[in-house]
Amino acid sequence: MSERKRFFRLLSVLVVLSSVLLVMVCSMLVTGTKTRYIKREQDEVRAYYTGLYFAENGDGSPVALENNVGYVDFQIMNYIDDDVTKRDITYDITTVSTFYDGSGNVIADPSSSSVTDLHVKDVWNAPVKVGRDSYKYNVSITKNDGETRTESVNGVNKELYLFSYEERDESAVGKIHNVTVKLERKPDAGAMSGSTESVSLVIQLNKPYKQVYIVDIIVSNRLIVFGSKQVKEFDMDFTKVNAQTFDIFSHYLNGTSYAERVNAALTKFSSRAFKVVFEWDNMIINENDFKYFHNNPNSILAGTPDAEGLDLSRPYLVSITQTADSGTLTIYVPQSSDFEFGCLITDTNAYLKAMVYIWDNATGQYVVYDQVGWGGYTDNSTLGLAEIIK
Amino acid sequence: MKTRKKLILALLYISLVGVVYLTSSTLSKYISSSNTTGDFTIGEKLYFDYTRGDLFRGDQLIVGVPIEENIYDENTHELIKTKKRIETMNVAPGDILKFHFYVSNVNEELTEYNGIEGEFHVSASALLSMPVNQADYQLDCTITYRDVTDSSNIGAFTDLAKDKNIDLLKYDGTSASVRKYEFQVYVVLDDQVQATSNDDYVGATLSIYLFVDAANK
């Protein structure tokens, strides 16, 4: 090999190596590559959602609307069975100002005959159906034995009722609020078209988040009103039957003074108790619920349980006969009464009905409290019959 | 003949250079992946101090339980890594959890500090798991921050842009080179989650994953 060839061969190797070096340097410069020292910290926040356990037992309660005002008592709980809400709950019950249709559109005139149903919206903007006559009533809480706390509601400070979350050992403490709500018929609502109206109370939660709970009640201008609702006790489904009567049977507030109440036949009403005969089948009545009634009224009232001047604090139990799952119950219900008793329904064909009798001053005897004659009940075309569960 | 040889040699040379270039380019990408161990034993090291702050539910300070979960190799049962997190219970729909944390270029005791000019990036993502709906939602988080180096002059939180890198100053022993930032991260579920009722949240969990990455400049 000549010197010249060897030189060129070495030169070629040198050029190749130089090129490799040059290319690598260029490549690093072009891509901006350089060794970087990296440090990383990583963390996580994990949140577990809790359930909102909130219940009331006012559904199905009857309200006797006297002089355009009625009251309903019920309980509100921050627990359901063994599950207690592990957060503070604040709520209020007020008059609903805006109603929506089933699609969530605002109803400008709820009184319009073209409106079939009223709804309010929950926090998810889903329409929740309420009683068709709800817009006719102003609603306010007149008594509540729960705690209160001032909170901002839509930017305005307001006193709300509070279930404060408490722990005992490792369990949360469930609480009950006893509530009385006043319903006042709005002056522009007009006269009641029938004997009953379907009204919903809307419990509006502010904390832990905005939510609505609906309490459906029956408002009636009858002197005695019945209702029923489902309750759960000891994990069993019971039915509670409620009854409420007017404060005064014989008179009504006419302006600022009281006037005598008369029916279409101009028969004067009396202050005597209503006589009610319940009859049921496929259900068992809890007789313990009558223990606080006046028992043996014939003895107490010297053989005249229908006499005036009854004790208004409790109804009078005349008789109760009950076989396996049917029976009859006769009671006298004074004015200003508000009571309930429990039933256990044993079959889907269960019924509970009541024949209601009112004292007729004209004839001096009890007569059926029917729709036409007295503004009472004529269910299933039977004068004086109130079908409570059917 | 000599001309042909030269031509062959030239082509061979060009081919060789081309191959070397392609190889170098490919390898250079791997070189750019950097050393992720964070160890820098020669001279100064890159360092930042991450400190957990308070956890808020709305405006209410709540208790977060620190959890450290050890991950073991299934076969050898050796500890692979330790995952740490903060857990909180009793969250309700509509709650906004705000987690505060701090990043500084020195630790509290001044025993560790950043020795290299660098920058860091904070990012977060969230996952809402709704077992009732059999749905998982990847959620965007909002991060705000402020400079809290001078405790007597702390400004308001400002939004942290997703591509924002914050300078990680080299600590030179003077108080002027100390930097401390406070961050808050939260997630707003509105418009990100299609929940239709309270029941959707039964057994639901929300996880906010937080990352702080730093590199030298």
Side-chain angles (χ1 to χ4, degrees):
Chain A
M1 189 179 289
S2 68
E3 285 288 320
R4 191 174 171 168
K5 275 188 177 178
R6 189 175 293 166
F7 171 76
F8 276 112
R9 197 166 285 175
L10 285 171
L11 186 64
S12 297
V13 170
L14 192 65
V15 166
V16 168
L17 288 174
S18 304
S19 300
V20 170
L21 190 64
L22 187 67
V23 163
M24 286 194 74
V25 169
C26 289
S27 177
M28 288 171 73
L29 285 173
V30 167
T31 57
T33 304
K34 57 184 178 181
T35 304
R36 304 197 74 183
Y37 300 100
I38 305 284
K39 176 176 165 59
R40 164 170 276 197
E41 282 284 351
Q42 203 169 324
D43 208 345
E44 179 187 349
V45 179
R46 187 178 296 178
Y48 295 89
Y49 281 82
T50 187
L52 176 60
Y53 305 101
F54 189 82
E56 45 75 26
N57 63 2
D59 262 331
S61 295
V63 174
L65 194 72
E66 187 172 6
N67 302 321
N68 288 327
V69 175
Y71 298 86
V72 58
D73 297 322
F74 58 95
Q75 294 176 318
I76 298 176
M77 290 76 78
N78 69 338
Y79 64 92
I80 296 174
D81 299 332
D82 294 333
D83 296 316
V84 181
T85 303
K86 294 172 181 172
R87 291 284 293 272
D88 287 358
I89 297 175
T90 55
Y91 68 93
D92 199 6
I93 302 173
T94 57
T95 305
V96 176
S97 56
T98 307
F99 293 95
Y100 302 85
D101 62 20
S103 303
N105 304 308
V106 173
I107 296 175
D109 180 14
S111 65
S112 169
S113 58
S114 63
V115 175
T116 52
D117 292 315
L118 301 182
H119 300 77
V120 295
K121 277 187 176 179
D122 69 7
V123 70
W124 322 105
N125 271 329
V128 182
K129 194 174 176 182
V130 295
R132 180 64 185 87
D133 303 300
S134 301
Y135 72 95
K136 297 176 182 173
Y137 291 85
N138 287 319
V139 174
S140 58
I141 294 177
T142 56
K143 194 194 87 180
N144 188 330
D145 60 3
E147 308 164 73
T148 59
R149 184 165 75 191
T150 301
E151 280 183 2
S152 174
V153 181
N154 300 325
V156 178
N157 280 343
K158 196 175 176 188
E159 189 174 64
L160 301 174
Y161 294 95
L162 165 72
F163 283 107
S164 59
Y165 168 52
E166 279 182 40
E167 277 187 352
R168 185 173 298 153
D169 300 326
E170 292 183 353
S171 302
V173 179
K175 296 177 179 176
I176 296 174
H177 288 180
N178 294 293
V179 182
T180 302
V181 173
K182 177 183 178 183
L183 290 103
E184 190 169 16
R185 197 174 168 78
K186 293 177 181 174
D188 58 356
M192 284 178 74
S193 54
S195 299
T196 59
E197 287 187 332
S198 174
V199 179
S200 296
L201 306 177
V202 181
I203 306 175
Q204 299 168 66
L205 270 59
N206 196 48
K207 293 280 178 66
Y209 55 88
K210 292 185 185 299
Q211 182 60 297
V212 292
Y213 284 82
I214 307 299
V215 185
D216 292 318
I217 57 174
I218 302 160
V219 177
S220 175
N221 58 6
R222 288 169 172 141
L223 298 181
I224 182 166
V225 192
F226 302 100
S228 67
K229 58 189 176 186
Q230 301 299 314
V231 294
K232 202 163 198 171
E233 290 178 359
F234 306 111
D235 287 337
M236 289 188 68
D237 291 317
F238 286 91
T239 300
K240 287 277 186 188
V241 175
N242 308 74
Q244 206 178 83
T245 58
F246 269 39
D247 287 340
I248 304 171
F249 290 156
S250 60
H251 291 71
Y252 67 99
L253 191 63
N254 184 15
T256 55
S257 60
Y258 282 89
E260 280 190 315
R261 194 189 308 275
V262 292
N263 66 9
L266 298 179
T267 304
K268 291 178 182 176
F269 288 63
S270 77
S271 295
R272 290 173 186 259
F274 271 83
K275 180 183 178 183
V276 183
V277 180
F278 293 96
E279 191 181 324
W280 64 90
D281 195 14
N282 292 318
M283 64 170 62
I284 300 166
I285 301 288
N286 184 5
E287 295 186 20
N288 284 330
D289 287 341
F290 302 111
K291 282 185 176 173
Y292 85 98
F293 281 29
H294 285 298
N295 283 288
N296 197 4
N298 289 338
S299 167
I300 296 170
L301 299 168
T304 55
D306 53 352
E308 290 182 310
L310 302 179
D311 177 10
L312 303 183
S313 65
R314 291 178 284 172
Y316 289 78
L317 174 66
V318 177
S319 65
I320 180 168
T321 57
Q322 185 166 212
T323 59
D325 57 359
S326 63
T328 59
L329 165 73
T330 303
I331 57 174
Y332 284 93
V333 187
Q335 54 194 8
S336 195
S337 290
D338 189 357
F339 67 92
E340 65 179 22
F341 56 87
C343 315
L344 177 63
I345 291 176
T346 58
D347 191 276
T348 52
N349 295 323
Y351 72 79
L352 172 69
K353 55 190 180 183
M355 281 300 294
V356 186
Y357 301 91
I358 187 170
W359 182 264
D360 184 352
N361 259 343
T363 60
Q365 62 181 352
Y366 276 101
V367 296
V368 289
Y369 181 56
D370 68 315
Q371 172 71 46
V372 176
W374 297 87
Y377 294 92
T378 308
D379 289 353
N380 201 19
S381 303
T382 304
L383 300 180
L385 178 69
E387 291 182 321
I388 302 166
I389 297 170
K390 56 181 178 180
Chain B
M1 191 65 185
K2 278 187 177 178
T3 311
R4 181 182 282 179
K5 270 187 178 177
K6 280 181 183 174
L7 193 63
I8 291 169
L9 275 171
L11 284 172
L12 204 64
Y13 176 73
I14 290 166
S15 303
L16 189 65
V17 170
V19 168
V20 168
Y21 175 77
L22 286 171
T23 310
S24 307
S25 301
T26 308
L27 288 173
S28 69
K29 288 178 183 173
Y30 290 100
I31 292 168
S32 69
S33 66
S34 308
N35 172 17
T36 58
T37 61
D39 294 326
F40 185 53
T41 53
I42 304 168
E44 297 294 358
K45 69 175 182 180
L46 184 74
Y47 170 83
F48 66 83
D49 181 63
Y50 166 81
T51 312
R52 285 172 172 170
D54 291 327
L55 182 62
F56 292 88
R57 192 172 58 205
D59 296 328
Q60 184 187 1
L61 178 67
I62 58 169
V63 176
V65 180
I67 304 279
E68 289 203 350
E69 184 183 359
N70 292 329
I71 310 294
Y72 295 94
D73 186 287
E74 285 184 2
N75 300 319
T76 64
H77 304 292
E78 287 180 357
L79 179 67
I80 302 171
K81 61 179 176 180
T82 301
K83 276 187 173 180
K84 59 180 184 179
R85 64 175 178 267
I86 298 169
E87 291 193 353
T88 184
M89 310 291 286
N90 305 334
V91 177
D95 281 342
I96 294 181
L97 286 177
K98 284 186 178 173
F99 177 59
H100 288 236
F101 59 95
Y102 301 87
V103 176
S104 60
N105 60 347
V106 292
N107 68 354
E108 292 283 324
E109 297 81 23
L110 296 178
T111 52
E112 286 191 279
Y113 57 87
N114 180 42
I116 303 170
E117 290 289 348
E119 56 189 2
F120 68 96
H121 181 76
V122 176
S123 59
S125 64
L127 179 74
L128 176 66
S129 177
M130 286 181 158
V132 171
N133 294 348
Q134 295 184 327
D136 290 333
Y137 294 92
Q138 294 284 349
L139 307 174
D140 289 332
C141 297
T142 304
I143 304 173
T144 60
Y145 77 113
R146 60 185 177 185
D147 190 334
V148 292
T149 308
D150 180 1
S151 59
S152 64
N153 182 27
I154 296 176
F157 281 101
T158 55
D159 287 344
L160 181 71
K162 281 188 176 178
D163 56 353
K164 168 81 173 174
N165 290 335
I166 301 171
D167 286 343
L168 185 62
L169 289 189
K170 177 181 176 181
Y171 176 65
D172 60 11
T174 66
S175 59
S177 63
V178 173
R179 286 290 183 279
K180 185 175 184 181
Y181 298 93
E182 181 182 11
F183 295 83
Q184 64 174 358
V185 57
Y186 57 94
V187 53
V188 179
L189 270 56
D190 294 356
D191 301 328
Q192 295 200 73
V193 176
Q194 283 193 323
T196 54
S197 77
N198 182 32
D199 295 337
D200 294 338
Y201 286 87
V202 173
T205 55
L206 173 68
S207 294
I208 299 174
Y209 301 102
L210 183 66
F211 304 94
V212 184
D213 295 293
N216 64 309
K217 280 186 173 176

